[in-house]
Structures are given as structure tokens and as C-alpha cells.
Amino acid sequence: MRNPILVTGATGKTGAEVVLDLLEQRLPVRALVHREDERSTRLAALGAEIATGDLLDIDAVGDALADVRRAYFVYPIRPGLIEATTIFAQAGDETGLDVVVNMSQISARRTAHSDAARQHWLAERVFDWSPVGAVHLRPTFFAEWLPTNWQYADGAGLLRLPFGDGRHAPIAATDQARLIAAILANPTGHVGQTYKLHGPVEMDHHEIAAAMSETLGLPVRYDPVDTDTYAEILRAQGRPEHLIQHLSAVALDYRDGVFEGTDDTIERITGKPPQTVEQYVTANRDLFPT
Ligand SMILES: NC(=O)c1ccc[n+]([C@@H]2O[C@H](COP(=O)([O-])OP(=O)(O)OC[C@H]3O[C@@H](n4cnc5c(N)ncnc54)[C@H](OP(=O)(O)O)[C@@H]3O)[C@@H](O)[C@H]2O)c1
């Protein structure tokens, strides 16, 4: 295939790994980055063509999509998802995009209390109405939430989260990226599908803390907090209100089982199973400072 594959969010958690995976397959990649920095310089050094632009700018998106037939679309938990999706679908229709792999999330549904989750559901519908063939991904919480929420004091790790005794199987960005790259390399049979994505082992956060403790060789404790306390923790970290509203709402979904489950999609399509929590923590030891 000579047309470049467009990867949006190319300096983010999933996008950067998708770029690396496609380059390893010797496929031509155009990486759409929000701004040029050391992350985009690294992608360029590895062989990606860099396009710089905002997903809310239809001209920039149209330029990035020139000659592109397949793309990965990802937009962060920030206001603007539906506008960015509509722009991408419209520009893709104008430029001849055939297939988009669309990052959504497991809690996406019409009745979601999270604004971002409801917007993800609407964004899926926008791609479904458009002539561009879409594959929707609905992952559970990423394994990357573990280092994001990592605290360490007095020789012990601590996870303070509002998840009660709810359960999920954390899924690493690198494993999702392998699936995304496989679909982009060969979309046959995937257009029209919605894949829920989970890691291999479903756990509650006491079990996750125990697995981290075993792997890191130090005590790790899960401290369940209520959603108001968690919102205050996030505010103290300077997190935006859109994200705080989302995480507060999906914490209740999480307790109600919306994030549960396991599946074989990544192993079936890529031939390699996704990482366990223990494997993720081992591979990313430096993300858990002590
Ligand atoms: N984290 C989870 O547990 C989880 C679970 C399920 C689903 N998801 C979904 O995953 C998605 C996030 O994926 P991710 O973690 O791979 O992303 P990410 O790490 O948050 O990265 C987002 C990327 O998009 C870029 N970006 C931000 N705003 C942009 C804009 N206006 N125009 C162009 N580029 C822009 C960012 O660049 P800069 O950094 O330069 O701004 C960054 O490269 C969300 O849609 C979320 O709902 C996440």
C-alpha cells in the first residue's frame, strides 16, 4: 500500500504506539500531531511523515487526510469530541477516506451520565452516518491509569480511587495499538464492528494492588474513596472539570459493572495476548517511582 495511513493523537498513549507498529510493518505513516516537540521529533526520526494541526480545524484535517485511505482517529477527554469527529468524517468524505478506526470507550451509551461517554456514543453515530467505513473500539480502563494514580510514601504505594469493589481487566495502550495497526494494515471483515477491549484478567482494585505489590516488591494498598473525595483529589492536581465530571460519573458505572469483562479480540486478531497487570508493571517499572 503506497497511500500513507494517518494516525491522529500520534504523540499520545495509543497513537504513538500505533505509529511504531505500522512503521515496523514498513507501512507509510503520516502522524498528525497537535504540536511539534521532542515526541514528534522521535516519530519523524523513526520514519513517520509529520503533519501538524488541530483536529478542530477542518482545513488542517483535510490537508492531513490528502491521499489517505485508512486512519486512526482519537481525541482526548476534552470538550470538542463531536465537532472533531464531524470534521474528520466530513474531511474524510471529501478526500476519499475508506476506513477509520475510532477510539471510543466501554461506557459509551445514549444514557451515560458522563458527558464524555455520551459524546463518544454520538461520535460513533456520526461515523456510522458518514460514507467512511468505521470500526469502533470500546476499551475498559487502560493499564496506564495505574501510573497516573500512583502515590508513594513511607515505603508503600497507594491507589486512592472511587471504584469500590468493582472489577475490570486493565488493557495496555501498546496492546490496543497492535490491534489498531493490524486492522489498518488489513481492514477486511472489521468495518462495521464494535470491539469491546479488555485485558486478560479481571480484578478488583484490592487484587490489582496485590499484583502490583508482588511485582514491585513493596506494599501497595488500595484506598477506596467516594466520588466527591476523588473529585477533590483531581481538582488539587489541576485536572479540568470536563475530565472530573467524566471520571466521577464513570466511577459509578464502574461500581455497577459497566467496565467488567474479558475478551479474546486482541489475541485472535494479532496472534498475541494483551499484557497482564504484572507484565505491564514489570515493563514500565520506571513509571512507579519510589
Ligand atoms: N485512559 C483510559 O483509561 C481510557 C479508557 C477507554 C477509552 N479511552 C479513550 O481514549 C482516548 C484517549 O486516547 P489516548 O490515551 O491514546 O490519548 P492521549 O494520550 O490523551 O493523547 C491525546 C493526543 O491527542 C493530541 N491532541 C489533543 N487535542 C488535540 C487537538 N485538538 N488536535 C489534535 N491533536 C490533539 C494530544 O497532543 P498534545 O499532548 O500535544 O495535546 C495527544 O497526542 C479518549 O477518547 C478516551 O475516551 C481512554
Side-chain angles (χ1 to χ4, degrees):
M1 187 182 27
R2 293 181 37 213
N3 299 81
I5 297 174
L6 183 69
V7 178
T8 67
T11 53
K13 289 184 282 298
T14 54
E17 297 288 336
V18 174
V19 172
L20 300 187
D21 231 300
L22 291 169
L23 290 174
E24 271 175 25
Q25 295 184 54
R26 302 191 175 284
L27 291 166
V29 180
R30 185 175 296 152
L32 178 62
V33 301
H34 204 190
R35 54 201 149 100
E36 290 182 30
D37 55 19
E38 67 285 349
R39 301 171 302 174
S40 58
T41 303
R42 174 170 167 257
L43 297 178
L46 292 168
E49 175 192 348
I50 304 296
T52 308
D54 195 314
L55 285 165
L56 296 170
D57 174 349
I58 193 167
D59 292 330
V61 172
D63 289 348
L65 279 166
D67 302 325
V68 167
R69 299 291 168 265
R70 302 174 190 176
Y72 172 50
F73 176 82
V74 58
Y75 189 86
I77 303 283
R78 289 184 204 164
L81 172 64
I82 298 175
E83 187 175 0
T85 305
T86 309
I87 284 172
F88 204 81
Q90 176 62 29
D93 184 26
E94 292 168 6
T95 54
L97 181 66
D98 291 327
V99 176
V100 63
V101 178
N102 170 43
M103 175 56 76
S104 182
Q105 63 170 262
I106 199 166
S107 64
R109 62 205 192 282
R110 198 177 193 277
T111 54
H113 291 293
S114 151
D115 294 341
R118 226 171 35 256
Q119 289 161 12
H120 265 307
W121 184 82
L122 285 168
E124 291 179 0
R125 303 293 71 77
V126 170
F127 276 133
D128 288 348
W129 301 331
S130 87
V132 178
V135 185
H136 304 302
L137 304 184
R138 289 185 173 179
T140 190
F141 270 113
F142 292 6
E144 281 68 17
W145 269 103
L146 300 176
T148 301
N149 289 287
W150 173 251
Q151 294 177 43
Y152 177 82
D154 301 328
L158 180 64
L159 300 173
R160 296 192 79 206
L161 291 164
F163 293 146
D165 295 327
R167 304 172 69 79
H168 83 300
I171 177 72
T174 179
D175 294 313
Q176 298 177 68
R178 193 167 65 256
L179 173 72
I180 295 162
I183 294 172
L184 291 171
N186 181 10
T188 307
H190 297 299
V191 169
Q193 299 292 327
T194 298
Y195 294 121
K196 282 190 180 181
L197 300 178
H198 312 83
V201 185
E202 190 185 276
M203 307 159 112
D204 67 24
H205 275 74
H206 295 290
E207 293 167 331
I208 290 172
M212 293 173 71
S213 180
E214 176 75 20
T215 310
L216 294 169
L218 51 90
V220 180
R221 188 168 61 84
Y222 166 47
D223 177 20
V225 295
D226 60 35
T227 51
D228 287 346
T229 303
Y230 189 58
E232 286 314 314
I233 293 171
L234 294 171
R235 270 189 202 102
Q237 293 170 354
R239 308 278 185 168
E241 284 303 317
H242 183 69
L243 180 66
I244 295 172
Q245 194 279 338
H246 169 64
L247 292 173
S248 301
V250 296
L252 301 179
D253 283 345
Y254 187 97
R255 294 182 203 171
D256 289 342
V258 171
F259 285 74
E260 287 177 358
T262 58
D263 67 274
D264 68 352
T265 301
I266 290 177
E267 181 167 12
R268 183 168 47 80
I269 294 173
T270 72
K272 186 178 165 191
Q275 297 162 79
T276 61
V277 166
E278 291 86 342
Q279 289 167 331
Y280 174 81
V281 172
T282 301
N284 296 281
R285 179 68 184 80
D286 56 329
L287 299 181
F288 300 92
T290 54

